[in-house]
Amino acid sequence: MQKTQQTQAPKQSSYDVVIIGGAMLGSSVAWFLTDNPDFDGSILVVEKDPSYEFTSTAHTNSCMRQQFSREINVRISQFAADFVKNFQQYMGNDERVPPLHFQSYGYMYLADNDGFVDVLKESLKVQQACGAGTKYMTAEAIKAAYPFYNLEDIIGANHNLIDEGYFDGGTLFDWWKRSAKERGAEYLTNEVVAMTKNDSGGRVESITLKSGEVIACGKVVNASGPRAVLTSRMAGIEIPVEPRKRYTFIFDAEQPLDRDLPLTIDPSGVHMRSEGQYYLAGCPPDVDPAVDYHDFVQDHSIWEEKLWPIIANRIPQFEAIKVINSWAGHYAFNTFDQNAILGPHHEVENFIFVNGFSGHGFQQSPAMGRGTAELITYGEYRELDLSPFNFERIVNNEPFVEKAVI
């Protein structure tokens, strides 16, 4: 059950930027704005639950990869890797800021048919052109490097051991939030319940808080995660984002592997990886509808009927395993093309999207936060051209096709 939070009153009646949602993406935008010397405006971050207990941020598996089929997605993850590896420098060499743990055991995309091998090899060209360390491996090469796999049905795989794997996204989030606050961003425990547009309908003039205050705003940033459409509807905007449940299980093995388990994407859609001394596995359900915003009930039949049999088949050593923890979280699932929706609305010009990441949010948060801050400050993207993610592609029915979606 959702907790009722005591609302706070804002310090001002007007802000240059109002960010709705203070989790990973909202805090990324706030931090990059405060880090930009050319931005000198005021920032209000409105978050209904400062515990973040029911956010996608709280349920993330916190991994990153460069194995995408589109160049811009590769570049986005490469910036994330650089940011994580050089976190202290990016945070201004603040001696309080710790280094971030980054475990590069890589992703292993297994292919059991020639069609998917062709997809992997086409994606490999894109990744290698960007300087990624991805390599195609035959079944024999996989067996030599990772003898624990059962590869009877596998033809080959793409694998990359450079800047792919688990990173400490929780610490990254905590320090973005803390640093943004110290630099003047105001975080408010409250809820936006309405928006008022100007007479032409081309701008949001103000937001109304649950506590009753009406706040004038220069720009509104929708960083509401799976609830993005509830926020956009206040401005009369529909977006194709809905909550979809994703299931994660942590398990112990009676016979642990003698080396790291790459984040393995089985042809079935099940994925698994090392998790410290344990292992992590997850998957979408076979029937994958939108769910209620409050539905975080775990479905243990998914473990018994789907995950465990597939895991034990792929790695026979995992026949004897025991679940020690599990949870269900929500993807902010973009039903249009499963990629981010970014940038301004084509008609409500000061309404900015940071939505629909469909499971890519943590690894894409540094580049998306930086790009959104550039857009707000300069009116354009500068470091990376993120315009392929603009909302107008939805209006024009032009999906951004990314073949490597988990």
Side-chain angles (χ1 to χ4, degrees), residues 309-356:
I310 291 171
I311 290 168
N313 176 68
R314 185 61 60 205
I315 302 178
Q317 208 167 316
F318 284 167
E319 179 63 38
I321 54 180
K322 178 177 67 176
V323 173
I324 60 172
N325 193 15
S326 67
W327 61 86
H330 290 174
Y331 270 11
F333 194 88
N334 175 359
T335 61
F336 181 67
D337 61 14
Q338 295 180 59
N339 279 279
I341 303 169
L342 211 66
H345 189 258
H346 63 298
E347 293 176 347
V348 186
E349 62 182 14
N350 67 333
F351 189 97
I352 297 173
F353 302 97
V354 190
N355 302 118

Side-chain angles (χ1 to χ4, degrees), residues 145-188:
Y146 301 99
F148 48 74
Y149 287 123
N150 168 21
L151 300 171
E152 289 180 355
D153 60 331
I154 298 302
I155 300 171
N158 276 3
H159 187 35
N160 178 11
L161 285 169
I162 301 171
D163 294 344
E164 286 198 346
Y166 166 84
F167 70 102
D168 184 1
T171 298
L172 172 61
F173 167 54
D174 289 342
W175 274 99
W176 271 345
K177 179 160 46 77
R178 178 175 178 175
S179 178
K181 289 179 180 179
E182 290 178 349
R183 294 173 173 184
E186 181 182 343
Y187 276 66
L188 190 70

Side-chain angles (χ1 to χ4, degrees), residues 90-104:
Y90 277 105
M91 299 300 289
N93 293 309
D94 185 333
E95 62 183 16
R96 301 172 300 167
V97 175
L100 294 182
H101 177 61
F102 189 1
Q103 187 177 1
S104 293

